[in-house]
Amino acid sequence: MSLKRTLGTCYYPEHWPEEIWAEDARRMADLGLTWVRIGEFAWSRLEPAPGDLRFDWLDRAIDVLTGAGLKVVLGTPTATPPRWMLDKHPDMLAVDALGNPRKFGSRRHYCFSHSGYRDEAVRITRLLAERFGTRIAAWQTDNEYGCHDSVMSYSQAARDAFCAYLKRRYGTIEALNTAWGNVFWSMEYDRFDQIDLPNLTVTEPNPSHALEFRRFSSDQVARFNAAQVDAIRAFSDAPISHNYMGRELAFDHFATGRQMEIATWDSYPLGFLEDRLEASAAHKARYARQGDPDFQAFHHDLYRAVGRRPAEAASDGLGRWWVMEQQPGPVNWAPHNPAPLPGMVRFWTWEAFAHGADCVAYFRWRQAPFAQEQYHAGLLRPDSVAAEAFAEAAQVASELKEMPDVEQAQAPVALIFDYASSWAWTVQPQGAGCDYFRLVFDMYRGLRKLGLSVDILPPHCGTLDGYKLVLIPGVITLSEPLKQAIAASDAQILLGPRTNAKSDALHIPVPLPPNIPGLDVTISRIETLRPDMPVAVQQGGAVQLWREQIETTAQVLESDVTGAPIAAQNGTLSYLAGWPDEALLARLLDRAARQAGLNPQTLPPDIRIRDTGKTRFIFNHGPEAVEFEGNTIPPAGLTWD
Ligand code: GAL
């Protein structure tokens, strides 16, 4: 399927005098933008007092923007409930793990479990859908669920809803006591209403309890979103989206993704490198102006999967996704906020298109001279003069006219990604640094360094058809559909470490893990390792952080220096019994890719490749030019053929 790739921006008409809206709209259209997102923080101007609706200005703003030929994405304003909402619902605030209410004065202060606030959110959404539903081209629900650590709330509303959730899930208190193993430390309950939220316990809470609270909190996000989606659908056929984040794992994005037509995400490569990645100081310094070579691509591939709706998957197998907010220059919120290298904004835009984005929208149109984000760049400076990114957006807009078809195709390699596993790893990490995302991201990076393009798949996917190599690291509990897909697949499948390690309630199952039919591997013990005690592997490299002792009759692929097996293989199934360092991972993935009939190549460190249906994109993420396959690729440069 071929789509026309488009550009957009995020605009806040309520921040600027009405007299300049028309000029702004004209400049957006002249720049070659198609989309403009508005409205997502405007509640205090849409309803300055309860019931006092002032939609007339938004009407005029939409008129001006659509009049200039732009398509409008309207955001529901529910991430920023106005101050009067607190007077109406004093107990709507989210409460942090220390029991402190999160105060008014920034954003995302609501608790997902507060039914009074949820009703307010549905009410304003319905009113907007009724009024604007046929005039706008797409919707965004709320803004960045999870931002500022806002998924889990320890409020009374959350506790009440949690007790009700547990009752629905377990039926009887005996069933819950058994499932959680509450006999341990005399934690048994007599009634559901005795169960508290798992914060402020003397030492760690029961991991089953903690995991269940994370599942519940994720469900509350999905319920909140579904209520808005329903309110919109009653009045509007326009597609609905939500803008997700980088490395945000507190709720299951596949669950919300199923409710909507489009997944979008907010890509801030330089901010993420600084505050969301474990990497050496040298790595952070090298990529400070370009961003990590794999972090954006990982999320592009992830959100392509989140945007994939089951009904559509049957027809084209590919999800609809956008970058809703693209960093255009320095941001304001990371520990350090450097400017990108010249050319980087164009580069990031093309990288997103190469991974299948329908649209890349720049955040924001004009830099705000007031409030929290004053030093966050826009396409325009506060004085309306074009900022550095403006010319780069213009370049992409003109390149798009000539652009080869960015046709997407199924990748040869699949990587399973599971939000619930990240919760389980967080609840029971067993060692500092043992983090699910980090493990999966290491694997993803390892694949990309071999020049391979990757599809990310959800943990409940029922088929692996068409893939030659499948990686399933750290998925704590394999779903039944995935077990069946593994059994039916003829791909090379690499599992572990910590794959199928726990039951649904987070117990160690018997027979002992990983218990995969056809793979004779039994984990007899696990240990975690200090950063300064990696375990060397015979052919080079090491395991680090997490290490499993296995009993196996399978063919041993890798052993430590004492001869203990580290990786073993039965037919197409392989198991990796530890967290590999870079050298071990490179060898393992290279071997697996060759066994799968792929042609892995060791790329220069800054080069990454993305193969689409017909086009091969080659990106140089480094600050210097690189010679690659007869081309000189400039810093922040790319080629395609
Ligand atoms: C995003 C958010 C925007 C803006 C931006 C600044 O996380 O959705 O509203 O705050 O960050 O980089």
Side-chain angles (χ1 to χ4, degrees):
M1 182 184 57
S2 139
L3 286 166
K4 189 170 177 311
R5 313 288 150 182
T6 53
L7 298 174
T9 193
C10 306
Y11 185 52
Y12 299 91
E14 70 275 21
H15 294 180
W16 311 109
E18 192 162 338
E19 302 79 73
I20 71 171
W21 293 355
E23 173 66 358
D24 279 341
R26 185 193 61 74
R27 289 178 81 185
M28 289 176 202
D30 287 354
L31 178 58
L33 306 186
T34 302
W35 295 91
V36 56
R37 185 195 62 179
I38 59 173
E40 82 276 12
F41 300 129
W43 202 335
S44 69
R45 292 296 172 94
L46 292 168
E47 191 180 18
D52 177 10
L53 299 175
R54 307 275 177 91
F55 288 2
D56 48 318
W57 68 266
L58 185 54
D59 245 324
R60 294 194 299 278
I62 291 174
D63 275 347
V64 167
L65 294 165
T66 55
L70 298 159
K71 293 182 182 181
V72 171
V73 182
L74 183 57
T76 67
T78 53
T80 50
R83 181 60 186 82
W84 56 256
M85 190 72 74
L86 269 179
D87 297 330
K88 206 169 163 193
H89 303 284
D91 55 351
M92 61 160 281
L93 293 172
V95 174
D96 73 13
L98 296 176
N100 301 313
R102 307 191 78 180
K103 290 185 182 174
F104 182 85
S106 62
R107 59 179 174 184
R108 298 218 60 76
H109 39 286
Y110 69 86
C111 173
F112 281 100
S113 295
H114 192 275
S115 54
Y117 182 64
R118 193 161 60 226
D119 292 348
E120 298 275 4
V122 167
R123 180 181 59 81
I124 192 74
T125 300
R126 187 185 322 108
L127 289 166
L128 289 168
E130 224 171 334
R131 175 82 167 250
F132 303 109
T134 54
R135 294 177 53 207
I136 56 142
W139 290 92
Q140 174 181 295
T141 58
D142 204 279
N143 188 79
E144 289 192 342
Y145 293 135
C147 188
H148 317 306
D149 192 15
S150 57
V151 168
M152 284 189 291
S153 164
Y154 298 86
S155 67
Q156 187 59 44
R159 184 188 171 182
D160 294 345
F162 184 52
C163 291
Y165 162 94
L166 294 174
K167 188 148 201 258
R168 282 196 306 276
R169 188 162 157 83
Y170 291 97
T172 66
I173 200 70
E174 292 76 22
L176 178 141
N177 282 325
T178 306
W180 290 9
N182 280 337
V183 61
F184 194 80
W185 290 354
S186 274
M187 295 180 291
E188 286 165 305
Y189 298 101
D190 309 308
R191 302 184 315 275
F192 283 98
D193 64 10
Q194 293 171 326
I195 304 174
D196 213 328
L197 301 177
N199 61 325
L200 298 174
T201 49
V202 174
T203 183
E204 61 176 308
N206 184 331
S208 306
H209 184 178
L211 177 62
E212 207 59 273
F213 180 59
R214 285 176 181 266
R215 284 185 184 139
F216 157 81
S217 299
S218 174
D219 279 10
Q220 294 300 85
V221 176
R223 284 187 59 192
F224 186 88
N225 190 65
Q228 289 201 18
V229 166
D230 291 348
I232 292 170
R233 293 223 200 281
F235 301 99
S236 177
D237 295 330
I240 308 176
S241 68
H242 177 76
N243 59 333
Y244 302 103
M245 300 173 68
R247 198 170 180 171
E248 169 50 54
L249 306 169
F251 69 99
D252 183 351
H253 295 39
F254 293 117
T256 46
R258 278 194 291 277
Q259 299 167 352
M260 298 176 284
E261 287 78 16
I262 307 172
T264 79
W265 83 288
D266 298 341
S267 180
Y268 292 95
L270 306 190
F272 294 148
L273 176 78
E274 269 282 297
D275 86 345
R276 237 158 269 196
L277 260 182
E278 300 86 355
S280 67
H283 182 91
K284 292 200 177 193
R286 179 162 185 81
Y287 296 107
R289 296 189 187 281
Q290 306 94 278
D292 181 86
D294 299 297
F295 193 85
Q296 283 61 248
F298 177 89
H299 288 85
H300 296 336
D301 290 343
L302 173 63
Y303 291 120
R304 194 169 65 246
V306 171
R308 174 174 170 168
R309 307 186 80 209
E312 289 163 1
S315 56
D316 59 46
L318 299 163
R320 265 182 94 179
W321 74 277
W322 298 15
V323 173
M324 187 61 95
E325 299 180 12
Q326 173 62 61
Q327 174 168 0
V331 299
N332 62 296
W333 45 263
H336 305 94
N337 296 294
L341 278 188
M344 226 41 229
V345 173
R346 165 183 175 256
F347 178 107
W348 291 325
T349 308
W350 275 112
E351 188 183 33
F353 288 145
H355 286 258
D358 287 0
C359 172
V360 175
Y362 301 100
F363 182 93
R364 48 187 280 159
W365 173 245
R366 182 186 294 102
Q367 183 177 347
F370 45 78
Q372 278 91 332
E373 297 178 348
Q374 296 180 33
Y375 291 118
H376 193 300
L379 290 176
L380 301 185
R381 305 187 324 202
D383 61 0
S384 298
V385 171
E388 285 77 354
F390 194 94
E392 296 192 30
Q395 185 181 346
V396 179
S398 87
E399 287 167 335
L400 277 173
K401 292 185 189 139
E402 315 293 322
M403 180 47 202
D405 195 5
V406 192
E407 185 163 325
Q408 297 293 305
Q410 183 174 356
V413 182
L415 175 63
I416 307 290
F417 189 75
D418 177 30
Y419 289 88
S421 290
S422 84
W423 311 333
W425 279 76
T426 305
V427 163
Q428 222 174 28
Q430 182 68 9
C434 294
D435 174 90
Y436 172 74
F437 179 91
R438 195 173 161 187
L439 173 70
V440 176
F441 187 64
D442 275 3
M443 299 270 174
Y444 181 82
R445 197 196 283 293
L447 290 165
R448 299 236 311 155
K449 282 179 164 177
L450 295 175
L452 298 168
S453 296
V454 181
D455 283 347
I456 293 180
L457 301 181
H460 40 76
C461 67
T463 173
L464 300 171
D465 285 358
Y467 293 106
K468 294 186 166 156
L469 173 63
V470 179
L471 265 53
I472 314 181
V475 174
I476 286 271
T477 309
L478 291 177
S479 68
E480 278 312 314
L482 183 52
K483 281 187 200 164
Q484 284 165 21
I486 292 169
S489 172
D490 53 11
Q492 286 293 328
I493 301 182
L494 179 60
L495 304 125
R498 215 182 182 186
T499 296
N500 215 28
K502 290 295 193 94
S503 71
D504 198 47
L506 212 54
H507 296 190
I508 297 172
V510 178
L512 290 177
N515 195 20
I516 311 282
L519 180 69
D520 179 36
V521 170
T522 299
I523 294 161
S524 53
R525 187 172 77 174
I526 67 125
E527 63 169 341
T528 54
L529 305 167
R530 291 166 49 95
D532 55 4
M533 55 185 290
V535 173
V537 169
Q538 279 179 16
Q539 294 126 294
V543 284
Q544 53 189 3
L545 290 167
W546 181 279
R547 194 249 169 116
E548 295 164 356
Q549 176 177 288
I550 60 173
E551 297 169 355
T552 184
T553 60
Q555 185 197 348
V556 173
L557 302 173
E558 302 279 347
S559 313
D560 74 10
V561 284
T562 72
I566 296 289
Q569 180 169 32
N570 276 133
T572 55
L573 297 176
S574 303
Y575 191 83
L576 170 58
W579 189 316
D581 74 353
E582 212 181 311
L584 173 59
L585 180 63
R587 192 167 64 247
L588 281 163
L589 293 180
D590 185 79
R591 181 193 294 123
R594 286 180 201 286
Q595 288 181 343
L598 299 171
N599 191 16
Q601 52 179 144
T602 302
L603 299 177
D606 294 327
I607 295 292
R608 293 293 185 271
I609 288 173
R610 166 75 185 164
D611 286 320
T612 67
K614 294 180 183 151
T615 309
R616 164 163 284 203
F617 287 85
I618 301 171
F619 296 92
N620 175 12
H621 293 260
E624 302 104 23
V626 175
E627 293 294 325
F628 183 67
E629 294 184 343
N631 292 312
T632 304
I633 312 178
L638 66 145
T639 64
W640 61 70
D641 58 34

